[in-house]
Amino acid sequence: MCRTGDEPERTELGDDTGTDAAFTALLEDSAEDLYESAPCGYLSTLMDGTIAKINATLLDWLSLKREAVVGRARFADLLTVGGKLYHETHFAPLLRMQGELRGIALEMKGADGRRLPVMVSSVVKHSGDGDPLLIRTTVFDASDRRAYEQELLRRRQEAERARAEAERARAEAEEARRQAETDRERLADSLAVLQQSLVPSSLPAVPGLEAAVHYHTASPDRLGGDFYDLFALGDGRWAFFLGDVCGKGPQAASLTSLTRYTLRAAALHDPEPAAALTTLNAVLQERYAASGDPRYCTVIFGVVQPDADQNRCTVRLASGGHPPALVMRADGRADYLRTPGGLLVGVLPAAPFSTAETILAAGDTLLLYTDGLTEARTGPTRENLFGDEALHAFATRHAPATPSGMITALTGLLESFGDGLDDDTALLALGVPALPVTDRRR
């Protein structure tokens, strides 16, 4: 069907009409209802703060009756003690000066004593002549905001306490670390002093003989058990020994001290090497075996008698379970000086010891060492021991060598072992100085 131009256009209202009617009904609230039931508190006060009007919302929040408030109370009376002081000293004076204040945090008190955190905004209403007439105040419930702020404050305080605890713990740990370092240094110094008391501070000068020594301590925190000495016997003879006691620490130090002084005393009484070891064995048996806590050591004891006229010296050795001495000759040979027999000193009540003898000519060097050298771990995995054969090959490569030269070479070898050298090591070298070239031609 065609529509003529004179026909009015038909519009379908339908749902739109119903929607408009619903919105119209919602907006038919009176101004009084909007004031009384607003989602925030409203009140109007005279300039002295007397409440002239207050809405039902604020009365409900504070559990107050209108007749008990209007014309009878002031705005400050609705505040807590702290809020009242702030109102009198800051809020009211600033409001009179500026005519407006917004977003001020206060606390109001309810009839039941409950505190209500609020945000207050006030505006002064003036007459046409500019005279202040009354104060209009809007109050917003800030309970959720206050709870949120308090939670933030609590979390911040907890974080600050945790940070303070962490700082205190860090400071205590640092102090403990410094104290531990100080104690470790003090202990290391004490152990170094005690260790030095167990070995001679220096070797004596022996006419016609050169001597050199080196002592490596595996750990600065533990007393070593290796020992050595060189001392005069009289009549041109000199005694020397080198050994290793069982164990580490104070007990080993006690055994080392007993061993050294026993050998010195025994040598002065009977300079025969086997006799000195026999005496030491008896002392260790008497001191330790009877108590059920036997202690033992390995030691090699010798007596050297230089012959300056012949540029040589005679050496007599006895060994108690100790690695054999190594002799490097002036002609470049290197050989072990085997000492038959010789049990660990202190293990059995009666231990047989035998004596070996050799002549050191000009340019020859005798090397004594503890097993820290031959038992050093080598190789990429540190599973192999350096061993006697490697030491013999090393000595052969360096022969002939003076005592100081050999000790220097062995010191470098020990350093090359790195963490493979985990035991104390003592080295003692004795040798006859080589003849000058002119003397050799004669």
Side-chain angles (χ1 to χ4, degrees):
M1 178 177 179
C2 295
R3 177 175 55 84
T4 63
D6 294 338
E7 287 182 321
E9 183 176 356
R10 183 178 298 175
T11 305
E12 295 183 1
L13 296 176
D15 292 340
D16 292 342
T17 302
T19 302
D20 292 342
F23 276 112
T24 301
L26 290 174
L27 296 176
E28 286 179 354
D29 290 339
S30 65
E32 185 66 22
D33 288 339
L34 291 174
Y35 177 84
E36 290 293 338
S37 302
C40 61
Y42 287 117
L43 73 157
S44 299
T45 67
L46 302 180
M47 295 305 299
D48 64 356
T50 301
I51 299 174
K53 189 175 182 180
I54 186 170
N55 72 341
T57 300
L58 186 55
L59 290 172
D60 182 63
W61 286 354
L62 301 179
S63 302
L64 295 174
K65 300 296 184 180
R66 192 183 304 273
E67 58 272 16
V69 176
V70 176
R72 294 177 176 273
R74 297 186 178 186
F75 173 66
D77 297 333
L78 305 181
L79 303 176
T80 61
V81 174
K84 185 180 297 185
L85 290 175
Y86 182 82
H87 180 272
E88 298 297 331
T89 57
H90 294 77
F91 189 94
L94 286 174
L95 183 60
R96 286 193 295 269
M97 292 174 57
Q98 300 177 6
E100 180 180 8
L101 285 179
R102 296 187 181 275
I104 305 301
L106 295 173
E107 275 192 338
M108 306 186 82
K109 61 179 181 180
D112 55 359
R114 182 174 56 90
R115 292 171 176 263
L116 177 65
V118 294
M119 298 294 293
V120 175
S121 296
S122 296
V123 178
V124 178
K125 180 181 179 182
H126 296 81
S127 65
D129 297 332
D131 296 328
L133 297 178
L134 55 84
I135 302 172
R136 289 174 175 168
T137 299
T138 305
V139 180
F140 291 92
D141 186 351
S143 300
D144 292 341
R145 176 174 175 175
R146 180 66 59 83
Y148 176 71
E149 291 174 346
Q150 289 176 345
E151 180 65 16
L152 286 180
L153 179 60
R154 184 181 67 82
R155 294 291 180 89
R156 180 178 179 180
Q157 290 173 343
E158 289 178 353
E160 290 177 348
R161 284 195 296 269
R163 189 181 301 110
E165 288 292 336
E167 289 292 336
R168 182 163 55 253
R170 190 180 300 109
E172 291 175 354
E174 180 63 21
E175 178 62 26
R177 184 188 64 80
R178 288 196 297 265
Q179 184 62 45
E181 289 181 353
T182 301
D183 293 343
R184 189 179 299 109
E185 291 175 358
R186 186 180 297 114
L187 176 61
D189 292 342
S190 300
L191 291 178
V193 173
L194 181 55
Q195 187 74 65
Q196 291 173 0
S197 70
L198 299 177
V199 294
S201 58
S202 61
L203 297 179
V206 180
L209 193 69
E210 180 184 348
V213 69
H214 175 73
Y215 190 95
H216 168 80
T217 303
S219 172
D221 298 332
R222 295 188 308 173
L223 286 171
D226 293 2
F227 59 90
Y228 61 88
D229 207 346
L230 173 64
F231 55 97
L233 293 175
D235 298 331
R237 293 176 302 171
W238 294 78
F240 61 92
F241 57 78
L242 180 141
D244 183 8
V245 302
C246 63
K248 302 290 181 184
Q251 294 179 337
S254 175
L255 180 56
T256 298
S257 179
L258 176 62
T259 299
R260 286 189 65 226
Y261 290 112
T262 298
L263 288 175
R264 271 181 163 264
L268 293 175
H269 176 72
D270 186 347
E272 181 62 28
L277 295 186
T278 300
T279 300
L280 175 62
N281 188 78
V283 170
L284 296 185
Q285 279 285 308
E286 180 182 358
R287 176 71 175 271
Y288 295 105
S291 64
D293 184 22
R295 297 298 175 88
Y296 60 87
C297 68
T298 68
V299 61
I300 189 165
F301 185 96
V303 175
V304 56
Q305 185 167 9
D307 186 346
D309 295 336
Q310 299 294 325
N311 292 311
R312 66 178 189 177
C313 64
T314 302
V315 179
R316 291 174 58 78
L317 291 174
S319 175
H322 198 81
L326 185 59
V327 182
M328 288 160 286
R329 301 297 180 180
D331 59 7
R333 291 179 294 115
D335 297 295
Y336 285 110
L337 180 59
R338 302 293 178 179
T339 306
L343 297 175
L344 295 174
V345 182
V347 173
L348 298 177
F353 301 105
S354 59
T355 302
E357 183 175 316
T358 189
I359 301 296
L360 295 182
D364 293 346
T365 295
L366 175 74
L367 174 67
L368 306 181
Y369 55 92
T370 55
D371 58 8
L373 172 59
T374 52
E375 294 182 0
R377 293 174 288 110
T378 62
T381 59
R382 302 299 188 189
E383 295 180 352
N384 301 321
L385 299 182
F386 182 64
D388 295 335
E389 292 183 2
L391 176 59
H392 181 269
F394 183 86
T396 301
R397 289 196 303 270
H398 288 80
T402 64
S404 58
M406 194 59 194
I407 293 297
T408 300
L410 287 172
T411 301
L413 177 64
L414 294 177
E415 293 176 351
S416 70
F417 292 145
D419 58 2
L421 184 63
D422 54 6
D423 194 7
D424 302 322
T425 304
L427 306 172
L428 176 63
L430 305 173
V432 179
L435 293 174
V437 177
T438 55
D439 292 342
R440 293 178 190 174
R441 291 174 180 174
R442 297 177 186 174

